[in-house]
Amino acid sequence: MKTRLKLKIMTGFFLLASLLLIAGAISISEFTKLSKSVNSLIEDNYKTINAAQAMLESLEREDSGILMLMLGQWEEGRIIIESADSSFMLALNIAEGNQTEKDEDIYVAAIKESYSKYRDKWKKPIVNTEKEGNIDWYRNNIHKAFLETKHNVTNLMNLNQESMHAEAYDLKEESRRAIMPGIVAIIAAFIFSILLNFFISKYIISPIGNLSEAIKEYNPGQANISVVKSSDELKKLESEINAFLERLIRDSRK
Amino acid sequence: MKKEIIIKHLGFIVLFNGAFLFLAWIISVFNHETSSIPLLFSALICLIFGLFPLIFVEPTENISFNEGLAIVVIGWLITCLIGMLPYIMWGGEFSIINAWFESVSGYTTTGSTILNNIETLPKGLLFWRSSTHWIGGIGIILFVLLILPQSKNSQLTIVNTEISQLAKMNFQYRSKKIVRVLAIVYISLTLLETILLTVFGMSLFDAVNHSFATIATGGFSTKNMSIAYFNSTSIEIIIIVFMLLSGMHFGLIYGTLARRKENIFRSPIVRSFIIVILIGIVLVAIKLYLSGYYSWWESVRNAAFQVVSLGSTTGFATKDTASWPYFTQMILIYFTIQCAMVGSTSGGLKFDRIYILLKSLWKQVKLVHHPRAVLSIRIGNVNINEQLERQTLLFIVVYIVTFFTTTLILTMMNVDSFTAFSASIATIGNVGPGFENVSSLGNFSSLPGAAKLVLTLNMLLGRLEIFNIIAFFILRKNN
């Protein structure tokens, strides 16, 4: 009985605090997930996309090197091809070690296979053979293998780009999910404080006002004061006042 | 009006919503979905707001009619706001206006949607979406059978005419009895439909969601193609039967189950309603067949489903009716205006009022020949007094004026006239789909934001029967 009024007010503030705390906790958890997602977006897809771009660039350089060999420029051609080959292999190793999407291993294996065929073709001597200046040989062998490898690298790049777009969309949704509990909690807390204010006014302030008005207008001989409807400390105060008034009247009669 | 009593009852409504949000959250967690946090947070908000008034407000006796009306009108607005919380927190296609539209459409059991791709929604949100129908359905039944009959002019309450014996009982007895009747009929129908749909091949999740939407005459489906997705005659027949039952007075369904005198077999309204539905099915089927759309059987099957779906204000679809002949579209528009019976979960004008209108017309014809005759309108054994007759006719006029006004407002926003007209009658009638751009297998996403807001107002006006909203605002002014 003694703690009821206190309990009511405390419950109100406790619920208000809980609302804000829960919203805060959810927002923090969602933002943590969000930052992890941003990292993974950069780590997972962007790294492979860069590697694929490096592979495409290397392929183009290798193709130029082969054309130089076909023109009989052995020295320059070999330098370009070997440098492009080593940068292609480096990029391929990065892509191989950064497989994060479903079936990405199949895409990488396809690149390895087609590149190996392509490599076999230009590893063999070209200068001073029948291949030198032979455009038909280039079209039927080299260019075909070049296009196949390029196609496989593009597929890998597309896979990662699509995944990056999807993840970017998810990030947008995740950021919304991180922000919304906070916004909703602020609005809810505002409405809740109006409600709390209404109840405090209705069940605490108003009865005190009514009680003080009733005491002011009290005449000896009239019935007991009965203005408090609730059954908490205020009701107890009302009955104490009634007992006190009765005592006063009794004493004054003596 | 005691505000604290209203707030306390609103608390109960909020807690009831919270319970369903928790269920949706469990489904979401079980399926590892992105909707789990939005659902959990919404449920916690309901818990906090629902519990708080219970701590302060002491237990109370009866609530007055005015308080009841305030609880219903404010309660509907609050639940619609709660309903949109998981949607806006989850995101996707849900902007604030879209979330509000989907929520109001759910609670008012309208079933119009703004979603282009329903199947991308997590299961937890799909369940919540169907739950809003179910909660709205039980809410409207409580309002119509429990609150409205408490009005000082209860003889003006059209719902009493069908269950006059029940309506005459005193409030204490009636309220307890009606809540029990409601719970039995509403839950039994939902369970029975769920079991039947599961037996005939639907997954349990889809069966529960479609049962929620059928019994509430809502129309939200878990599939983009609505019922057409299942392509099953048995599933369509089950849904047709339950749509028809949900379009009937729940007091009469109880009367039938309890073998009372007032039952669906003896009700002249039910009889006339079924006859009109059958005529509609025959006309649509003949036109579909003669126009070479489908075979005989397919014409009857599709006509039956669409006529009952719109006639009961459910709004499920098995075909895109926007591509059907204009004659069939006009018949379907008639059913969208007519709606089902009072005392059911269906919305809109209600067949009972059309029945009284026709009887009233016949009375006027008789009066032309016999000006001094004293004539009265009867529904079965119940006399319809002149006041109720006048009020019914006035309601029909206000209803027509309202949807014409909405049509006008929508065309002002450059919505084409047929889309605007059909969207207006489909929303005020709480039916769901219209024609043209908002057809049975389409959605309302292409409409401008302001148009969506106007249509949600339409849904609420249709659900709470216009006069009750006016009465609420007059009460607010006088208090």
Side-chain angles (χ1 to χ4, degrees), chain B residues 320 322 326 329 416 418-419 422 434-439:
Chain B
D320 189 4
Y326 287 122
Q329 290 189 13
D416 75 88
F418 197 37
T419 303
S422 63
F435 292 91
E436 289 287 323
N437 298 336
V438 291
S439 65

Side-chain angles (χ1 to χ4, degrees), chain A residues 11 30 173 176-177 196 203, chain B residues 4 37 88-90 92 94:
Chain A
T11 313
E30 288 293 302
E173 293 295 310
R176 179 185 174 136
R177 273 171 223 139
L196 185 62
Y203 288 97
Chain B
E4 61 278 10
I37 285 182
I88 48 168
M89 282 200 265
W90 182 75
F94 293 114

Side-chain angles (χ1 to χ4, degrees), chain B residues 221-431:
Chain B
S221 175
T222 51
K223 305 291 174 196
N224 291 329
M225 295 293 287
S226 191
I227 304 303
Y229 171 89
F230 301 98
N231 192 23
S232 157
T233 314
S234 34
I235 282 176
E236 285 167 29
I237 291 170
I238 293 165
I239 292 177
I240 287 174
V241 170
F242 280 91
M243 286 193 294
L244 269 178
L245 283 173
S246 309
M248 289 175 191
H249 197 300
F250 272 55
L252 285 181
I253 298 176
Y254 171 76
T256 314
L257 295 173
R259 299 183 177 199
R260 290 170 65 104
K261 201 174 72 185
E262 290 155 324
N263 60 49
I264 53 175
F265 300 110
R266 294 182 61 161
S267 159
I269 300 276
V270 173
R271 207 179 306 130
S272 310
F273 178 69
I274 298 290
I275 290 170
V276 172
I277 290 274
L278 285 174
I279 293 171
I281 294 171
V282 169
L283 289 174
V284 173
I286 289 174
K287 182 66 188 168
L288 286 176
Y289 177 72
L290 292 180
S291 306
Y293 275 74
Y294 311 108
S295 65
W296 259 117
W297 165 240
E298 281 292 303
S299 298
V300 173
R301 177 184 166 184
N302 291 318
F305 193 90
Q306 288 306 146
V307 168
V308 175
S309 176
L310 298 189
S312 63
T313 79
T314 310
F316 280 141
T318 49
K319 288 282 178 239
D320 189 4
T321 48
S323 62
W324 281 10
Y326 287 122
F327 173 74
T328 60
Q329 290 189 13
M330 286 301 130
I331 301 262
L332 292 176
I333 280 187
Y334 166 72
F335 282 104
T336 308
I337 296 172
Q338 175 199 281
C339 305
M341 293 167 54
V342 291
S344 70
T345 52
S346 73
L349 193 55
K350 307 280 182 350
F351 181 73
D352 307 54
R353 291 197 177 94
I354 305 263
Y355 190 86
I356 293 174
L357 170 76
L358 292 174
K359 287 246 177 184
S360 179
L361 280 175
W362 184 237
K363 190 174 108 179
Q364 294 308 317
V365 170
K366 278 187 185 168
L367 280 173
V368 171
H369 293 287
H370 309 285
R372 289 184 181 176
V374 180
L375 302 169
S376 65
I377 296 174
R378 292 175 73 83
I379 295 181
N381 297 322
V382 181
N383 254 328
I384 303 293
N385 64 42
E386 290 222 347
Q387 233 180 329
L388 179 54
E389 185 189 337
R390 270 200 307 277
Q391 199 208 37
T392 303
L393 300 181
L394 185 64
F395 183 92
I396 295 172
V397 173
V398 174
Y399 190 86
I400 293 168
V401 168
T402 309
F403 74 66
F404 269 113
T405 311
T406 319
T407 308
L408 199 67
I409 296 170
L410 291 192
T411 48
M412 233 167 68
M413 297 170 193
N414 298 324
V415 177
D416 75 88
S417 50
F418 197 37
T419 303
F421 177 70
S422 63
S424 298
I425 53 166
T427 48
I428 198 168
N430 303 126
V431 176

Side-chain angles (χ1 to χ4, degrees), chain B residues 445-461:
Chain B
S445 66
S446 61
L447 296 183
K452 286 176 192 163
L453 290 179
V454 170
L455 292 176
T456 55
L457 181 67
N458 241 12
M459 292 175 200
L460 287 165
L461 281 173

Side-chain angles (χ1 to χ4, degrees), chain A residues 164-211:
Chain A
M164 201 161 92
H165 281 133
E167 274 191 44
Y169 179 79
D170 286 347
L171 278 181
K172 199 179 130 202
E173 293 295 310
E174 270 179 39
S175 71
R176 179 185 174 136
R177 273 171 223 139
I179 296 164
M180 285 315 282
I183 296 172
V184 172
I186 291 166
I187 297 167
F190 176 71
I191 298 167
F192 193 83
S193 27
I194 294 173
L195 203 63
L196 185 62
N197 184 45
F198 168 77
F199 280 120
I200 289 175
S201 157
K202 177 87 195 172
Y203 288 97
I204 299 165
I205 313 289
S206 249
I208 293 173
N210 291 343
L211 202 55

